[in-house]
Amino acid sequence: MKRQVLVLARALAFVVRRRIDVPPDGAAIHYSRGIRPMFWALLVVNPVDIVLVEVVVKSVPVRISVLVLEILCALAFLALVATLYKYPHSVGKGELRVRYLSVFDCRIPLASIDSVRQASRSLRTRGGVSLPEDGVLAVGISQSTNLSVVLRAPRLVDLGRKGTVEITQLDFWADEPREAVTAIRERLPASV
């Protein structure tokens, strides 16, 4: 939990400094264009709760407590929205970094990549990180992925509370898949 709070606070700091978390020699691979409107809509709806509490609850101490709580929740949700913009996937410094909001961050050394290509895949889950199926880990948006990275050898990936799993392929979503494939391939070692 403490790590999660630090990741969210760091995202807000990136907003203030107008930076994104990508290595200096790296390329950002954005993935959140399709889900950003939903997150913004949820953030805009948040003040409705505050108005309802002000109208319904008569006790001043309760109203103040709920107002403070609502402000803290709105700030946390704003930080979560910031992760969509400030923590893209990236390629650089000898690694491919695949993320999902502030909850998943996987680094794959470029030397361990066998191939990368555009490949659409439908997922059973709505989005996020899906547990490996036949060694394939999927990091999807809106029940799909559009890039596939095949690894030279199995690799262990930490899924947090879900444990550590072995993968041979990583499928994920990129807003601009063709540009993402090019950015990754340009940085692959010559032997790949």
Side-chain angles (χ1 to χ4, degrees):
M1 181 69 171
K2 191 160 110 176
R3 182 193 165 283
Q4 190 76 0
V5 170
L6 291 174
V7 169
L8 292 171
R10 188 169 176 253
L12 289 176
F14 276 126
V15 169
V16 171
R17 295 186 336 220
R18 296 182 180 203
R19 294 188 48 224
I20 61 173
D21 191 21
V22 174
D25 68 335
I29 302 171
H30 294 279
Y31 64 88
S32 62
R33 184 182 324 149
I35 60 173
R36 286 183 209 157
M38 176 189 64
F39 276 78
W40 280 110
L42 290 171
L43 187 64
V44 168
V45 169
N46 189 53
V48 172
D49 295 347
I50 296 171
V51 173
L52 286 175
V53 168
E54 287 295 317
V55 170
V56 174
V57 178
K58 301 300 180 204
S59 170
V60 174
V62 171
R63 286 189 355 222
I64 290 172
S65 299
V66 171
L67 177 64
V68 168
L69 186 61
E70 286 284 345
I71 290 170
L72 291 174
C73 287
L75 187 61
F77 197 77
L78 184 61
L80 188 64
V81 171
T83 65
L84 293 171
Y85 295 90
K86 301 304 176 179
Y87 295 147
H89 306 313
S90 63
V91 60
K93 285 194 176 179
E95 69 183 12
L96 170 64
R97 190 172 187 185
V98 176
R99 295 170 155 168
Y100 184 76
L101 300 169
S102 61
V103 297
F104 180 74
D105 189 349
C106 175
R107 297 168 189 243
I108 303 289
L110 293 176
S112 68
I113 295 175
D114 185 48
S115 66
V116 59
R117 63 184 171 85
Q118 278 185 253
S120 296
R121 177 186 184 114
S122 294
L123 305 173
R124 286 185 231 132
T125 58
R126 277 201 74 122
V129 181
S130 298
L131 291 173
E133 182 177 292
D134 296 331
V136 178
L137 179 63
V139 183
I141 297 291
S142 301
Q143 292 183 294
S144 61
T145 63
N146 58 7
L147 288 180
S148 184
V149 174
V150 177
L151 305 177
R152 293 178 177 276
R155 179 167 190 78
L156 292 176
V157 174
D158 181 11
L159 297 180
R161 288 182 284 161
K162 295 178 183 177
T164 300
V165 295
E166 187 175 84
I167 66 167
T168 56
Q169 182 175 318
L170 177 61
D171 292 353
F172 60 99
W173 179 267
D175 290 342
E176 303 292 341
R178 184 174 294 127
E179 288 82 356
V181 168
T182 301
I184 295 167
R185 285 182 179 162
E186 285 175 351
R187 289 166 175 82
L188 290 176
S191 62
V192 175

